[in-house]
Amino acid sequence: PKIFIITPTYNRITQLADLSRFGNTLKLVPKILWIVVEDAGFKSERIGNFLNSSAIQHVHLNIKSPWDIINPPSIYKGVIQRNLALDWIRENNQSGIVYFADDDNSYDIEIFEEIRSTKLISAFPVGLVGGLYYEKPKCLNNKIVGWFAYFLPKRKFPFDMASFAVSTDLLHKYPEAKFTTNKSYELEGSLLIDLKVKANEIEPKANCCRKLLVWHSKTLAPKRKYKNQVFEQIILDNL
Ligand code: UGA
């Protein structure tokens, strides 16, 4: 099956660095569609040009987070962008496996083949997340029997956005299912709860969750002490 990689992204100094790195990873992965959703009121030329020149099969969408309306705003990070991509998959009657990939994470290309073999929903370890070196499903005899997570462990699904993949069959079966913006404590779980997923139905991947193949990394923004002096920066083609 095809993998739909859903990536919300927003304008910041490290955006193109992150997208370039992720794009280079994706160039090594066959049969994918990269759905990039800009958190913006318009599709920027910068990101459009970047995607077109990447030669990766992609869809470029946009929707702006309503930062000004809702408090606290942090619950909106990437949420309505991911929901827009889910709507696009449904409206265009697409079929395959969906993965929610932040633009700044680090991915071993092996993770995509683990994802591809998902039947309905699967999970695997994620590194550098939840205040730990890694979080992971506890796997015994190829069944998930619990979770190794300390950040809000009472969540029904205590895992990161990067730690699961889901079949479009489930999305089509539950056309209203989406991430809920007002449930940041159970952000990942909000979709899974709508999809009526039971914890014991989740397929463990990555060798019974013993292999770490994705990391929740962060790119450090430079301090740019001299930013007002470097006028040349604005004439670069892709800024
Ligand atoms: C954590 C999780 O790992 C994310 O998967 C989850 O989306 C996020 O929390 C959340 O709270 O929603 P974190 O490092 O805090 O990740 O989030 P970012 O990596 O900064 O953002 C997640 C994604 O949303 C990125 O692809 C980012 O480009 C995008 N984003 C972020 C926007 O589209 N708009 C924003 O204003 C901020």
Side-chain angles (χ1 to χ4, degrees):
K2 185 184 264 193
I3 306 175
F4 298 92
I5 295 167
I6 296 180
T7 301
T9 188
Y10 70 109
N11 191 356
R12 63 197 185 278
I13 192 165
T14 57
Q15 183 183 31
L16 270 178
D18 286 332
L19 285 172
S20 299
R21 191 177 51 224
F22 188 24
N24 286 342
T25 303
L26 292 181
K27 284 176 196 170
L28 301 169
V29 186
K31 240 180 138 187
I32 58 165
L33 183 71
W34 193 13
I35 307 181
V36 176
V37 192
E38 279 195 74
D39 183 350
F42 56 92
K43 291 179 195 47
S44 74
E45 210 180 310
R46 240 161 35 90
I47 302 302
N49 290 342
F50 161 77
L51 287 170
N52 290 335
S53 61
S54 76
I56 300 168
Q57 245 204 50
H58 64 269
V59 172
H60 184 184
L61 306 174
N62 74 284
I63 184 166
K64 194 166 167 45
S65 299
W67 299 113
D68 42 342
I69 303 175
I70 305 282
N71 238 345
S74 60
I75 61 174
Y76 275 102
K77 209 167 24 175
V79 170
I80 64 171
Q81 288 75 20
R82 294 185 188 101
N83 287 339
L84 184 73
L86 293 177
D87 288 345
W88 184 92
I89 287 173
R90 290 179 176 115
E91 280 159 20
N92 291 280
N93 213 11
Q94 299 288 310
S95 139
I97 309 298
V98 172
Y99 182 55
F100 301 97
D102 292 356
D103 56 4
D104 53 350
N105 289 348
S106 306
Y107 306 87
D108 184 312
I109 53 171
E110 224 185 286
I111 194 66
F112 298 100
E113 296 323 307
E114 296 290 330
I115 288 167
R116 204 184 298 281
S117 65
T118 302
K119 291 188 188 76
L120 273 183
I121 172 141
S122 64
F124 30 82
V126 177
L128 312 178
V129 74
L132 295 166
Y133 178 50
Y134 60 81
E135 283 182 350
K136 70 188 276 298
K138 288 183 187 162
C139 179
L140 197 67
N141 300 327
N142 227 29
K143 287 245 174 306
I144 292 181
V145 295
W147 310 97
F148 177 73
Y150 283 85
F151 175 69
L152 299 174
K154 290 210 162 70
R155 288 175 294 164
K156 185 162 185 212
F157 299 102
F159 54 42
D160 183 68
M161 199 59 81
S163 62
F164 70 99
V166 59
S167 163
T168 53
D169 290 352
L170 271 184
L171 297 181
H172 293 303
K173 187 169 172 194
Y174 299 102
E176 303 296 324
K178 59 177 191 293
F179 292 105
T180 313
T181 50
N182 63 4
K183 278 192 199 164
S184 62
Y185 64 91
E186 182 88 59
L187 171 63
E188 293 76 5
S190 64
L191 176 71
L192 272 54
I193 290 164
D194 278 3
L195 293 172
K196 311 229 184 302
V197 170
K198 295 192 193 79
N200 62 4
E201 289 171 338
I202 304 180
E203 306 147 42
K205 294 290 179 194
N207 193 21
C208 208
C209 301
R210 281 195 288 267
K211 263 182 122 174
L212 192 50
L213 297 168
V214 51
W215 293 262
H216 184 254
S217 48
K218 275 265 147 273
T219 305
L220 199 64
K223 287 209 173 68
R224 290 197 303 157
K225 195 169 163 193
Y226 304 113
K227 68 176 177 195
N228 295 329
Q229 280 84 345
V230 187
F231 295 114
E232 295 93 306
Q233 279 193 339
I234 61 167
I235 61 169
L236 288 180
D237 279 355
N238 54 355
L239 283 181

